[in-house]
Amino acid sequence: MIEVKNITYSYPNSDSKALNDLSVTIQDQQWIALVGHNGSGKSTIARVIDGLVEGYQGEVTVNGMPLNDDTVWDIRDQIGFVFQNPDNQFVGATVQDDVAFGLENRNVPRPEMVERVQQALEVVGMSEFATREPSSLSGGQKQRVALAGAIALQPKILILDEATSMLDPQGRQEMLEILKQMKQRFELTIIMITHDLSETAMADRVLLMNHGQLVADAQPEKLFARTQVIKDNGLELPYSEQLKEQLAVAGIDLPREYMNEDRMVEWLWDKLN
Amino acid sequence: MGQIELNNVDYKYQPDTPFEATALQAINFTVETGSYTALIGHTGSGKSTLIQLIDGLIKPTSGEVTVVDHHSTATSNSKDLDQLRKNVGIVFQFPESQLFEETVLKDIAFGPKNFGKTDAEATAIAKKSMALVGLTEDFAEKSPFDLSGGQMRRVAIAGVLALEPEILILDEPTAGLDASGQAQIMNLFKQLNVEQGITIILVTHNMEDVAKYANQVYVLNHGAIVKSGTPREIFANQQWLMENYLTVPVTTRVAQKLIDKGYSFDEFPLTVAELSQKLIPKLKGEQ
């Protein structure tokens, strides 16, 4: 369980609060989608939880352990963090060296290390690239390797900060499927940061942030129907709500509840006949 | 003859070694002056390699690359490649990671100064570039690192424009920006294309942007160009795109689902506005 209590934080040289008295509790094995526009505070809170931010007010507890200078390494051991730009976290000369890096730091015995690296690369579909140089990979392939590096550590909590931004749509869908399987297999808690609501459908909860505060905490479909809240907080409406909006302007009566794409098609087909 | 021509171009990584890997093969590619071309293909299909060839960062293993009046072949030297680059500006993924100067103005002026402009000339160009990307003058003396993600990206784009390229290559230029930031940046590029006549090559996975902005599309798969045409031509064949690991704009997918049920469109819609325009009269019972 992750407990965030009354966190307030401003970046150095900034007058505005990146986080403003934020409190939230995340249960074990929940899939959380953390959404909000650029600057809403979503990456900042993720970094606070991983002990990457200093000088905030409030308290963070991870699996019963209060986050402080003495516990930060133990807590970080439980968290796999995948950053937005994979170039910022590559260190190895080959893909497999890179994935092994975190394990080497933790003194994992070599036979086990080899196995975990292989397994992690297999999970993300990058086994055939094991001996390639990371710099020869495309952006999307790098993001997969970065994910492999995080899961090789067998964390309890996986935090992904816009970690699919460079994948193609199919790759993104595959990544979401991989996460779903991993979550079950390793009983993971997932915190996925994104500004794309279409990526949040698999989440148990969507946390919508703005101005360093929580604006909404709801199941995906419940949130999708709250179009004004989505727009007021700088996010793009899900596709079916965009279409509904255009049709409503023309004076067409529409159901209020959220319809996913297939339900929207059904509704249209019904009306067209 | 287009502004950019690739004639039968192959590119191999680490050729003649056990690690040889073919990144591109038999590429024929034409871009006309002032056009807006989208380059699509799944992760690892060769898009980034193609861009690097056009920018003279690498040279072909065989075949010929022509950019404006300059050529690169397997025997070109670095001086030839520099000539290619003169006409091309690239906005790489996460370009703001390359900002480094103390102020926005200095950062943007760095490129032209590096290419031999005087301080005064470089500053004038930098100011012009700031205006082009919609950064007001009060940003000039700020540190680029105090800006928001979207603003930092504008600074980085202004730095590319300060080199006064005729061709602008955009590699996933909106990755990591939120919806309003994405729309602003994409509108900016369209404006540069229409008002300044800058040729645009957009590398993207965002099919909505391809539908909205491009007038020509090239599809890459396993290092080969497997299809080219207008967005409407490309997106009309959803089945084929899926077989090539690509998706279509959501509108196209929704339209296809309606077609599968028995509905017919006179022309295939590509954007949400096009789809609703076609459906509204029917939904209102007008024929």
Side-chain angles (χ1 to χ4, degrees):
Chain A
M1 191 164 72
I2 302 168
E3 290 167 278
V4 169
K5 276 186 214 149
N6 308 106
I7 299 284
T8 296
Y9 176 72
S10 298
Y11 281 97
N13 308 320
S14 168
D15 327 320
S16 61
K17 288 173 180 163
L19 297 172
N20 190 356
D21 198 22
L22 179 73
S23 296
V24 63
T25 300
I26 296 169
Q27 303 295 341
D28 284 348
Q29 298 185 45
Q30 270 192 340
W31 184 326
I32 302 291
L34 191 52
V35 302
H37 64 77
N38 291 127
S40 57
K42 56 191 195 305
S43 292
T44 308
I45 187 59
R47 284 169 160 73
V48 167
I49 292 170
D50 199 31
L52 294 168
V53 175
E54 285 186 332
Y56 55 84
Q57 293 159 27
E59 228 176 273
V60 176
T61 310
V62 177
N63 293 333
M65 218 186 274
L67 175 64
N68 57 42
D69 286 350
D70 297 328
T71 60
V72 61
W73 293 102
D74 289 330
I75 287 179
R76 228 175 260 169
D77 262 354
Q78 305 179 38
I79 300 178
F81 205 118
V82 186
F83 294 91
Q84 181 183 60
N85 188 347
D87 285 335
N88 294 345
Q89 63 191 101
F90 278 127
V91 287
T94 65
V95 165
Q96 61 190 12
D97 284 357
D98 199 81
V99 175
F101 179 74
L103 299 173
E104 282 172 346
N105 275 347
R106 284 166 177 77
N107 296 319
V108 173
R110 187 164 169 84
E112 188 189 338
M113 185 160 78
V114 171
E115 196 190 314
R116 274 160 74 168
V117 168
Q118 279 175 355
Q119 193 190 24
L121 284 173
E122 205 179 294
V123 169
V124 301
M126 289 295 291
S127 299
E128 58 178 307
F129 295 89
T131 56
R132 290 271 292 271
E133 264 178 73
S135 64
S136 74
L137 303 181
S138 73
Q141 289 169 334
K142 287 176 185 170
Q143 285 190 321
R144 285 168 187 251
V145 174
L147 178 64
I151 63 172
L153 300 172
Q154 300 178 343
K156 296 197 178 76
I157 299 162
L158 189 59
I159 302 179
L160 304 137
D161 190 357
E162 310 245 4
T164 63
S165 58
M166 286 194 265
L167 291 170
D168 49 74
Q170 181 176 332
R172 198 168 290 190
Q173 206 51 49
E174 280 170 17
M175 183 88 121
L176 290 172
E177 287 298 330
I178 290 169
L179 289 174
K180 195 176 163 185
Q181 287 166 17
M182 278 175 24
K183 180 175 176 290
Q184 269 190 332
R185 191 163 150 196
F186 304 115
E187 302 181 335
L188 285 174
T189 303
I190 294 180
I191 302 176
M192 185 171 162
I193 300 172
T194 178
H195 51 248
D196 187 351
L197 284 179
S198 69
E199 285 189 8
T200 66
M202 283 193 206
D204 301 306
R205 275 163 83 190
V206 184
L207 306 180
L208 170 58
M209 286 189 68
N210 203 358
H211 304 300
Q213 294 177 312
L214 213 53
V215 182
D217 177 353
Q219 291 173 332
E221 297 224 335
K222 297 245 165 65
L223 180 68
F224 296 166
R226 294 166 68 184
T227 53
Q228 201 55 49
V229 172
I230 294 172
K231 284 201 289 189
D232 286 350
N233 290 289
L235 296 181
E236 194 172 42
L237 291 178
Y239 183 82
S240 55
E241 292 297 336
Q242 289 179 34
L243 185 57
K244 272 165 78 176
E245 197 168 53
Q246 300 242 351
L247 298 178
V249 171
I252 289 161
D253 274 336
L254 292 141
R256 279 200 55 159
E257 83 269 13
Y258 171 74
M259 297 186 282
N260 67 21
E261 199 177 298
D262 284 336
R263 291 216 301 274
M264 185 81 206
V265 170
E266 289 295 336
W267 184 88
L268 285 170
W269 178 240
D270 202 45
K271 288 284 160 190
L272 288 165
N273 283 285
Chain B
M1 188 82 188
Q3 190 180 25
I4 303 171
E5 290 271 350
L6 273 75
N7 271 319
N8 220 10
V9 166
D10 285 351
Y11 184 77
K12 292 184 171 76
Y13 281 106
Q14 297 172 283
D16 306 320
T17 71
F19 305 105
E20 179 176 301
T22 301
L24 291 173
Q25 52 185 333
I27 299 288
N28 288 298
F29 178 86
T30 304
V31 167
E32 301 293 340
T33 306
S35 63
Y36 198 128
T37 300
L39 195 54
I40 61 176
H42 68 99
T43 300
S45 60
K47 304 186 299 283
S48 297
T49 309
L50 182 51
I51 293 177
Q52 290 174 41
L53 280 166
I54 295 169
D55 194 33
L57 292 169
I58 52 177
K59 56 187 184 182
T61 311
S62 63
E64 186 181 38
V65 177
T66 305
V67 178
V68 190
D69 297 324
H70 303 287
H71 310 278
S72 112
T73 63
T75 56
S76 293
N77 57 35
S78 61
K79 224 170 149 191
D80 301 330
L81 295 175
D82 284 347
Q83 291 297 321
L84 238 68
R85 206 167 307 152
K86 270 191 175 165
N87 299 298
V88 182
I90 298 196
V91 178
F92 286 104
Q93 291 174 357
F94 299 101
E96 58 276 18
S97 62
Q98 291 166 28
L99 299 175
F100 69 99
E101 279 279 15
E102 291 158 28
T103 72
V104 166
L105 193 68
K106 278 188 187 168
D107 204 292
I108 300 169
F110 176 81
K113 241 160 87 179
N114 201 27
F115 279 103
K117 303 277 188 202
T118 65
D119 279 7
E121 285 167 342
T123 303
I125 294 170
K127 283 187 173 160
K128 203 177 117 201
S129 302
M130 280 180 67
L132 282 177
V133 300
L135 285 171
T136 50
E137 280 193 24
D138 49 319
F139 280 98
E141 297 308 318
K142 287 191 180 170
S143 162
F145 303 102
D146 287 340
L147 307 181
S148 74
Q151 289 164 344
M152 281 169 81
R153 193 155 304 182
R154 277 169 196 267
V155 174
I157 292 166
V160 175
L161 291 173
L163 302 173
E164 303 180 311
E166 293 173 40
I167 298 157
L168 198 53
I169 300 181
L170 313 168
D171 189 0
E172 293 287 359
T174 62
L177 295 183
D178 57 26
S180 68
Q182 288 186 11
Q184 284 170 17
I185 294 285
M186 289 312 292
N187 287 335
L188 162 66
F189 293 134
K190 186 70 199 174
Q191 213 177 335
L192 291 169
N193 176 239
V194 173
E195 291 173 12
Q196 311 290 321
I198 295 178
T199 306
I200 305 268
I201 299 177
L202 171 68
V203 177
T204 188
H205 298 312
N206 187 329
M207 300 302 167
E208 316 300 323
D209 284 344
V210 175
K212 218 157 143 189
Y213 299 106
N215 44 42
Q216 168 179 244
V217 185
Y218 279 95
V219 186
L220 273 171
N221 192 12
H222 292 303
I225 287 170
V226 285
K227 205 165 195 153
S228 63
T230 65
R232 216 177 292 282
E233 285 163 1
I234 297 292
F235 293 132
N237 196 342
Q238 193 175 328
Q239 187 61 38
W240 180 87
L241 284 162
M242 281 166 62
E243 284 163 15
N244 283 277
Y245 311 105
L246 292 166
T247 54
V248 293
V250 183
T251 296
T252 309
R253 195 167 69 212
V254 168
Q256 187 62 49
K257 284 179 180 172
L258 285 169
I259 291 168
D260 292 346
K261 286 183 175 294
Y263 192 77
S264 67
F265 289 96
D266 49 353
E267 190 186 47
F268 215 61
L270 293 182
T271 62
V272 67
E274 281 181 15
L275 176 63
S276 50
Q277 273 163 26
K278 286 180 192 301
L279 292 178
I280 286 163
K282 301 274 165 63
L283 289 169
K284 284 183 153 180
E286 298 159 9
Q287 283 310 311

